[in-house]
Amino acid sequence: AALKVLARECQGQLSETFRDEGCLTAMLEHPGVIPVHDMGVDDQGQPFLAMKLVRGVTLSERIHALGENRLEPDSLTSLVEVHERVCDVLSYAHSQGVVHCDLKPDNIMLGEFGEVYLMDWGIARRTAGPDAADAEDDDEAGHTLVGTPGFMAPEQACNDEGSVGPSTDIFGLGGVLYHALTGQPPFRAPTLMAMIYQTTLCEPTPPEELLSDQNVEVPPALSRIAMRALSRRPEDRYADALEFKAELQRSLRVNA
């Protein structure tokens, strides 16, 4: 098993959030979500989650290791298949009224035998069920910016909690695909505030333009999928994770 603990300097401030992560993750019974076996507080008063131990690499590490070879047909097919598996996890989570809210390559783990896990549900939101109303009250009280700069959706950057929902994860999927194609997140800036501003504008450079001077070819179909998912308005993105997955599958057939 793997033991996830809360840093001592964060105890008190984040203990409730840590507990919520354990409860929510344990609720999601899916092969793409790492099982939680136990949770509690140890003899030193340190909160912990006991989880299944997973050996492998993150998608970020895989993309970095591939380098420019990531756009070769076999590598690209493998990366797209990882995205399809993540779509399955999200489709299940959304059906349970849960939104991940932190899609990025570092939160996708690739196991030694083809397993694909969506990790770190620490800032996930309940959009349905008995706890959803309580979560909304907490958001109104705190208005804390949550998500990862460079990958978060505009509604997260604007603290528009009322607009955060499954489409927020579709945006995150687009950001992960964009990173797989270009080797970098959709938004980059020298400061946090500049990155947040870029996110609110939501005008990422199309992958083929970003790589125009590198003598590599970005599959147009995959670029279009990423850019649609990265639309500023939620209603302009894919309707759900399964539609995103279907588009990925069509792109593979076109390039076969």
Side-chain angles (χ1 to χ4, degrees), residues 111-149:
E112 294 180 319
F113 303 102
E115 309 97 321
V116 176
Y117 298 100
L118 182 53
M119 313 278 288
D120 197 352
W121 296 79
I123 62 172
R125 288 173 52 95
R126 291 294 303 273
T127 60
D131 299 328
D134 294 338
E136 289 176 3
D137 291 341
D138 292 341
D139 290 332
E140 291 176 0
H143 285 289
T144 302
L145 186 69
V146 293
T148 299

Side-chain angles (χ1 to χ4, degrees), residues 126-183:
R126 291 294 303 273
T127 60
D131 299 328
D134 294 338
E136 289 176 3
D137 291 341
D138 292 341
D139 290 332
E140 291 176 0
H143 285 289
T144 302
L145 186 69
V146 293
T148 299
F151 290 96
M152 69 169 60
E155 57 266 27
Q156 292 175 286
C158 296
N159 266 327
D160 184 7
E161 294 293 340
S163 297
V164 172
S167 61
T168 303
D169 282 346
I170 300 302
F171 188 96
L173 272 173
V176 174
L177 179 58
Y178 187 99
H179 189 275
L181 295 174
T182 66

Side-chain angles (χ1 to χ4, degrees), residues 35-74:
V36 173
H37 300 312
D38 192 14
M39 59 184 293
V41 179
D42 64 19
D43 293 340
Q44 286 73 45
Q46 190 167 18
F48 71 86
L49 300 177
M51 312 176 75
K52 175 183 176 181
L53 178 63
V54 177
R55 302 185 188 278
V57 298
T58 66
L59 179 58
S60 180
E61 292 171 327
R62 174 68 57 80
I63 293 171
H64 179 74
L66 288 171
E68 292 184 0
N69 294 331
R70 67 183 180 277
L71 294 178
E72 293 183 355
D74 289 345

Side-chain angles (χ1 to χ4, degrees), residues 73 76-77 80 217 219-222 248-256:
L76 198 56
T77 297
V80 169
E217 183 178 352
L222 290 177
L248 289 175
Q249 292 173 332
R250 275 192 286 270
S251 75
L252 289 181
R253 289 196 296 268
V254 168
N255 292 324

Side-chain angles (χ1 to χ4, degrees), residues 6 13 15 20 27 37 40 45 69 75 94 97-98 106 111 132 153-154 164 168 178 185 207 233:
L6 186 62
Q13 178 185 6
S15 293
D20 291 344
M27 182 191 77
H37 300 312
N69 294 331
S75 298
H94 295 167
V98 176
D106 282 341
V164 172
T168 303
Y178 187 99
R233 301 195 310 165

